[in-house]
Amino acid sequence: MQSEALRLQGVSKTYTGARGSRIAALLPTDLAVREGEFVSLIGPSGCGKSTLLKVVAGLTPPTQGTITYGWDRASRPGQDIGFVFQDPVLLPWKNVLENARFPLEVFGVGREQADRTVLELLDAVGLGGFERALPRELSGGMRQRVSIVRALAYDPKLLLMDEPFGALDLLTRDLMSDILLGLWSRSPKTVVFVTHSVEEAVYLSDRLVVMSPRPGQVKEIMEVDLPRPRDPAVKDTDGFVHWMRRVKAALDAQPVAS
Amino acid sequence: MKRWGLVVHYVATLVVLTAVWQLYVSVGHVSSFLLPAPLPVLTALLASLRSGQLVSATAQTCLEILVGFGVGSVLGVALGALLSRSELLRTATGSLLLFFQTAPKIALAPLFILWFGLGLLSKLVLVVSLVFFPAMVATTVGISSVPGPFVDLANLLGLRPAQRFFRIQLPLALPDIFAGLKVGLVQAVIGAIVAEWMAGNAGLGYLMVYGDTTFDTPLLIAAILMTVLVSVVFTGLLVRVETRLLSWHAAYAGEGGSS
Ligand SMILES: Nc1ncnc2c1ncn2[C@@H]1O[C@H](COP(=O)(O)OP(=O)(O)OP(=O)(O)O)[C@@H](O)[C@H]1O
Ligand SMILES: [Mg+2]
């Protein structure tokens, strides 16, 4: 049995709106993630997926509940969680290399070692030779790859990804999925991945968490037993089609009365 | 090539303006006391340059603008950064700052002269007070408009306050800050000239008063022309610094990037 990387117990989030109104974004949620596991969250817009990731990353406190991490969070503050946002959030005055090594610089890692780590990762995502380019000189997919490298550069215990490919066209999305799978098989990491795309979720995940419309709640959790390593050919198999159908059915089903 | 085109353009404008000026004076029989012809003004300009009078007055005014603008903008940006860090500080100082911000600083000039004397200090205080507020307001606006995801990134990586300011907030706020600094610079020139008008015996403002009271209209106009030149040069320098620092910014792309 693998050890646990993350456990949410009764975690909920209620935002206080502009005029003191209260917005329930996430109802009490239980979720456990195993170490090295790739978990996807899928659900309609506004169901609290981003909120869940932000709470896990400590960017906003939960209203209720507790989050337990599989490691001592205090030992490396800021360095234990990688976050890939929906937009790349690159610093526009820094080039690709400087952006990707920004966290390492902040954490005081030596320049030489930082460059070695980052250049290797940039190579792995097909950005070798673009080290000196500014973000505005890159395509959307390339920018998002820089952002993934930046999140992986400090070797976090947990990688959170919030619709990282949401703004990209379909062909680029597929390419990015394969790049991500490649990175993941190089060094299996615990990943929590938010997406709107059923295909992407089935293709990438070990486990798939389907959420109900707002206020968000976990509706169903599925263990995707497709064999690994996966490559695009798996998308034509009956198993894959079966999972696609199951996830779509779960998404369409009426929310459980509570 | 583009640069030479610009120079030709400027020179042509100058020539046309001077011609119109000469024409107006000679055709309209304007008294040389009210508006001297271009030539006497040029002679006065050259004479006061040679005597060192204009040079030292210009140096004095430039010093006031440079130091006052520098101190004012650094203080303004620093306080703006502090204010955007602390809600408590904002509410504590809010009404006081609003009072000083809305008070017309020029009206305070006599008070500054009373407090800080007839010399350089009172002029610097006026210029600093004029530059400070636009710089401060622009900085708070710039920092508060840093997009949420950048704030998340800073929080995620646990940046310390100084890292957060210098590595994320300040660069992202620079376009706003420069907008404030440009307003501040115009104010700085006005402040320096007005302060010299009111008191003291140095600077271009003083030279204007001197030319006026001694009925030396060519000298007065020479001093005015010099003030315009100073203002244009400082603004040009500020814009150069801006394009250099913001070459990464989409709105400035193409300029300064290749230099
Ligand atoms: N900072 C905030 N203040 C107030 N309400 C918020 C805030 N952030 C999110 N919400 C609300 O919480 C709910 C869940 O938002 P969240 O961003 O987590 O949804 P999501 O599942 O990520 O949606 P999407 O798929 O569109 O990204 C929404 O109704 C949203 O309006
Ligand atoms: Mg979201």
Side-chain angles (χ1 to χ4, degrees), chain B residues 45-221:
Chain B
L45 197 75
L46 292 177
S48 55
L49 273 178
R50 220 174 299 123
S51 74
Q53 195 181 20
L54 193 58
V55 176
S56 67
T58 307
Q60 170 78 12
T61 304
C62 285
L63 178 76
E64 290 162 13
I65 295 171
L66 212 60
V67 175
F69 179 76
V71 173
S73 35
V74 168
L75 286 181
V77 171
L79 193 74
L82 279 182
L83 283 185
S84 24
R85 259 189 69 67
S86 152
E87 177 80 47
L88 187 71
L89 204 62
R90 262 201 304 280
T91 39
T93 56
S95 49
L96 191 70
L97 282 175
L98 190 71
F99 174 77
F100 280 112
Q101 190 185 341
T102 36
K105 257 72 67 184
I106 296 291
L108 296 179
L111 211 54
F112 288 160
I113 290 166
L114 197 65
W115 290 343
F116 302 108
L118 300 173
L120 185 62
L121 187 61
S122 61
K123 279 128 203 160
L124 287 180
V125 171
L126 181 64
V127 175
V128 167
S129 75
L130 284 167
V131 175
F132 174 81
F133 287 100
M136 183 197 77
V137 172
T139 307
T140 47
V141 168
I143 290 181
S144 68
S145 58
V146 167
F150 286 98
V151 178
D152 283 339
L153 179 70
N155 288 335
L156 181 81
L157 299 177
L159 296 197
R160 280 174 308 206
Q163 290 176 321
R164 180 181 299 257
F165 177 66
F166 285 110
R167 292 171 156 266
I168 303 225
Q169 292 174 323
L170 182 64
L172 283 176
L174 270 187
D176 284 315
I177 292 178
F178 268 104
L181 290 187
K182 280 183 208 162
V183 173
L185 184 58
V186 174
Q187 297 280 311
V189 177
I190 296 173
I193 298 294
V194 168
E196 289 163 355
W197 259 357
M198 287 189 189
N201 53 5
L204 288 169
Y206 168 74
L207 208 60
M208 288 178 203
V209 177
Y210 179 79
D212 202 29
T213 46
T214 55
F215 306 107
D216 189 350
T217 312
L219 182 64
L220 171 63
I221 293 184

Side-chain angles (χ1 to χ4, degrees), chain A residues 32-105:
Chain A
V33 179
R34 292 187 293 268
E35 205 168 291
E37 190 178 27
F38 198 116
V39 174
S40 290
L41 302 180
I42 190 164
S45 186
C47 73
K49 304 179 296 290
S50 300
T51 303
L52 196 151
L53 287 196
K54 282 190 179 180
V55 169
V56 168
L59 293 175
T60 179
T63 308
Q64 280 169 21
T66 53
I67 303 170
T68 332
Y69 301 89
W71 65 94
D72 177 18
R73 269 220 85 179
S75 63
R76 292 195 310 173
Q79 304 182 38
D80 50 353
I81 294 180
F83 204 127
V84 179
F85 303 90
Q86 175 157 8
D87 299 313
V89 203
L90 301 178
L91 303 174
W93 56 92
K94 287 185 183 291
N95 66 30
V96 167
L97 179 66
E98 291 163 340
N99 262 296
R101 75 170 177 225
F102 178 62
L104 296 175
E105 233 172 272

Side-chain angles (χ1 to χ4, degrees), chain A residues 10-22:
Chain A
V11 171
S12 73
K13 179 73 188 183
T14 305
Y15 289 106
T16 311
R19 277 171 222 83
S21 60
R22 297 169 64 74

